[in-house]
Amino acid sequence: MTRLKLSPDDLNRRRQKALRIHELLIEEYGPRKQKHRQLDPLSELVYTILSQNTADVNTERTVRQLRERFPTWEAVRDAPAEEVIDAIRLGGLAEQKGPRIQAILRQITEERGELNLDFLAGMSVDDARAWLVRLVGVGPKTAAIVLLFSLDKPAFPVDTHVHRLSQRLGLVPPKTGAGKTGLLLEQMMPPETYYPFHVNLIAHGRRVCKARRPRCEICRLADLCDHFCGVVRQAMESVIGTGQAPK
């Protein structure tokens, strides 16, 4: 994936802002030491697919049910599609996730001769990412999760919360896609901050900077936020004279 090119001054300005936001989020949510699920990269890949649009507790149960029914990834690959779908139904979207997982397992087998992604550990971040996103249905976020959580490689996963906050805060240019947002955040931030910044942005997106009704009035980041400074503050100031609260 082509990296987003910014001028050195623009990149440095965004970097300083991102680092300050990172500091404030640590004050709010803590340093967030990286946790590992102790999964090999292939298992992490399947886990990530199963976790999409699913609560964490249901993901854990779904993975457990899948492995109880099919103890090896070869068994998942070769099973009738209906049986795999039934095994993961608890996690939701089983009709989409089941065939996708089986297609990925077949593609890996065809290209590597075995179901194993450990070889990615010996590749650069960019090469490993490029290999993963070639798999059917694997996008930049899924690839980055595998790289960061299973292989300890410096990659920045961007989910809907991270993408929304990056746009609102002005960390990335307007209309930057999620994939390029991750690459840009990787350029801005030191690798040791990837995990805590990623997790804290998600926490802030869930608790404060919500998609439909952001709670700007209690946000620690308001003074650094392009959305608040450019839109919300104007709306709030426009009603001061009327004595009405902004909707």
Side-chain angles (χ1 to χ4, degrees):
M1 183 179 294
T2 303
R3 291 190 178 274
L4 196 64
K5 293 183 179 180
L6 300 176
S7 70
D9 288 345
D10 190 14
L11 181 61
N12 185 61
R13 177 181 63 81
R14 295 177 191 274
R15 177 182 291 117
Q16 296 305 314
K17 184 176 188 177
L19 289 171
R20 178 56 182 154
I21 289 171
H22 175 52
E23 293 174 355
L24 291 173
L25 290 175
I26 286 178
E27 292 177 8
E28 189 76 8
Y29 302 107
R32 304 283 193 169
K33 292 184 179 180
Q34 184 162 345
K35 297 179 181 179
H36 299 276
R37 286 191 283 263
Q38 303 299 323
L39 296 177
D40 64 90
L42 179 57
S43 298
E44 185 71 53
L45 176 59
V46 176
Y47 183 103
T48 302
I49 294 170
L50 290 173
S51 72
Q52 293 167 357
N53 299 299
T54 304
D56 291 345
V57 62
N58 283 341
T59 300
E60 297 288 349
R61 292 173 180 169
T62 301
V63 172
R64 185 163 56 250
Q65 288 183 4
L66 180 65
R67 297 314 299 267
E68 287 175 353
R69 189 159 179 178
F70 304 104
T72 67
W73 295 125
E74 287 80 7
V76 174
R77 177 195 63 198
D78 299 336
E82 296 78 8
E83 293 186 16
V84 175
I85 290 171
D86 184 63
I88 65 173
R89 195 172 300 281
L90 174 65
L93 300 176
E95 289 78 8
Q96 290 79 41
K97 294 177 182 178
R100 183 186 308 165
I101 289 169
Q102 288 188 296
I104 288 172
L105 295 177
R106 293 182 187 120
Q107 186 177 351
I108 294 171
T109 303
E110 291 171 2
E111 297 197 18
R112 298 293 303 177
E114 61 177 348
L115 280 177
N116 190 309
L117 293 180
D118 292 349
F119 70 94
L120 294 173
M123 300 174 70
S124 69
V125 174
D126 287 343
D127 288 345
R129 191 195 329 260
W131 199 94
L132 285 167
V133 298
R134 288 174 52 250
L135 298 173
V136 58
V138 175
K141 182 188 81 169
T142 298
I145 288 174
V146 173
L147 295 174
L148 178 65
F149 286 85
S150 180
L151 295 167
D152 290 323
K153 289 185 178 292
F156 203 112
V158 174
D159 74 342
T160 182
H161 297 293
V162 174
H163 191 218
R164 181 174 71 255
L165 267 67
S166 296
Q167 291 278 342
R168 285 179 175 172
L169 291 165
L171 296 180
V172 298
K175 299 182 180 180
T176 301
K180 289 188 176 180
T181 291
L183 296 177
L184 190 49
L185 290 172
E186 288 176 13
Q187 290 179 260
M188 288 183 200
M189 305 294 288
E192 63 271 17
T193 68
Y194 289 179
Y195 177 84
F197 196 40
H198 164 78
V199 174
N200 282 338
L201 284 171
I202 291 174
H204 199 65
R206 288 174 174 169
R207 301 180 192 180
V208 179
C209 193
K210 300 183 179 184
R212 292 187 178 181
R213 291 183 178 273
R215 303 171 67 192
C216 300
E217 69 280 1
I218 66 167
C219 181
R220 289 283 305 275
L221 310 179
D223 289 343
L224 295 169
C225 178
D226 285 8
H227 174 72
F228 177 78
C229 294
V231 178
V232 178
R233 179 175 289 173
Q234 291 180 14
M236 295 176 74
E237 290 176 351
S238 69
V239 298
I240 289 178
T242 65
Q244 298 177 354
K247 296 181 179 181

